[in-house]
Amino acid sequence: MFKVPEHQVAGHQALKGRLGPVVDDSGRFYKPLQSDERGKNEVAFYKSLSSKTESLIPDNIRRFFPVFYGTELVEATDGSGPKPHLVLQNLNAGLKFPSIMDIKIGTRTWYPQASEMYITKCLKKDRESSTVKLGFRLCGLQVYNSKESGYWKPDRKAVAKLSAEDVKMVLRKFVSDEGFDSDHPDCSVASIVLGGPNGILSQLRELKAWFEDQTMYHFYSCSVLMMYDKEKALSGGDPVAEVKMIDFAHVGKGNGVIDHNFLGGLCSLIKFVSDIHEYSLKDSQEKQISYGNGDI
């Protein structure tokens, strides 16, 4: 019934006898519940989010969060027996050839009540990655290339330590159809994946508009997933581009204060994505002019 997620790009993985999430064929994702306050906090957030009487999150914003189906005892992948798992929507279940990017948002990933040891650990990661400089860092990704070569899925540890310039290059490769060794990604599917009313850029801006007003929550160490179906994008069909938020173990109360940490990181990501979209449009226009002049 259960199997290891084929398209997981970040987080703990259920490989080699380790504890990690599993999925089923009905489109559900089972995430092991952390046994300390983090687990309780994440369950409480999801219950609040899914309760129509308690949640103050607008309906148009709820779509950015996974559907929550409750908790369930599931046999742990590390062989330790049945353990409580969050039962969530499997976000990429509807994508045949998903290209996915997991992006941790914010210049600060530690939460206010964290221990000194945990803060030190987070600070080290934040400074060694693009987190402090850009307000976000890439945690993992995969990009579909072709049926012959499959996916480009770089090492997660290397991805997490990418410089600002490297991050820009990888974001461009995320929406390109060239070999991933290219130093000049073509951004060939950027316009259809990033642009338009249903594109990734529009969704990120909608999320940003909410964060400019919402003061209910502060999201520490939370990620944004960007996903689309590469094969559909290449064939000119609907790439089913989606933006989702995940990982809520460290969500805290906003107490009437805007979450500037998350908002700032989200604005930075939008700037990078917007630049890539504008580049792709300009490049397309220049090619059309060149073809029109017979300069082929």
Side-chain angles (χ1 to χ4, degrees), residues 38-209:
R38 293 173 295 176
K40 293 178 183 177
N41 196 41
E42 191 158 26
V43 170
F45 173 76
Y46 270 116
K47 284 184 176 178
S48 171
L49 177 69
S50 60
S51 169
K52 298 215 171 175
T53 56
E54 290 182 39
S55 179
L56 300 176
I57 296 178
D59 288 340
N60 69 306
I61 299 300
R62 285 190 192 209
R63 69 189 180 100
F64 293 112
F65 298 86
V67 177
F68 174 60
Y69 299 104
T71 59
E72 188 175 318
L73 279 177
V74 172
E75 196 70 30
T77 56
D78 63 356
S80 57
K83 287 188 179 297
H85 284 60
L86 286 166
V87 186
L88 306 169
Q89 173 191 9
N90 183 1
L91 296 174
N92 55 58
L95 302 178
K96 188 174 181 181
F97 297 107
S99 288
I100 306 169
M101 185 173 283
D102 183 310
I103 308 162
K104 194 173 291 292
I105 304 293
T107 55
R108 162 185 158 182
T109 57
W110 49 274
Y111 55 103
Q113 295 79 24
S115 66
E116 268 190 55
M117 185 180 297
Y118 185 82
I119 292 173
T120 301
K121 177 184 173 183
C122 288
L123 280 172
K124 186 174 186 296
K125 282 186 179 180
D126 294 348
R127 289 167 178 164
E128 289 178 351
S129 66
S130 65
T131 290
V132 171
K133 188 170 183 179
L134 300 183
F136 67 89
R137 74 167 175 259
L138 307 187
C139 293
L141 71 143
Q142 70 173 31
V143 185
Y144 180 71
N145 194 12
S146 67
K147 288 181 180 178
E148 293 73 30
S149 56
Y151 290 89
W152 176 55
K153 197 169 185 176
D155 179 73
R156 291 190 296 163
K157 289 183 179 179
V159 168
K161 293 185 178 182
L162 290 174
S163 67
E165 281 304 309
D166 289 336
V167 166
K168 186 175 181 179
M169 179 64 72
V170 171
L171 283 167
R172 290 179 62 179
K173 289 182 177 183
F174 184 63
V175 287
S176 295
D177 186 33
E178 295 177 323
F180 298 110
D181 292 330
S182 173
D183 293 328
H184 303 285
D186 60 8
C187 301
S188 59
V189 295
S191 60
I192 190 172
V193 172
L194 304 180
N198 299 315
I200 282 175
L201 195 51
S202 177
Q203 293 178 54
L204 288 173
R205 285 171 173 161
E206 186 176 1
L207 197 57
K208 170 180 168 282

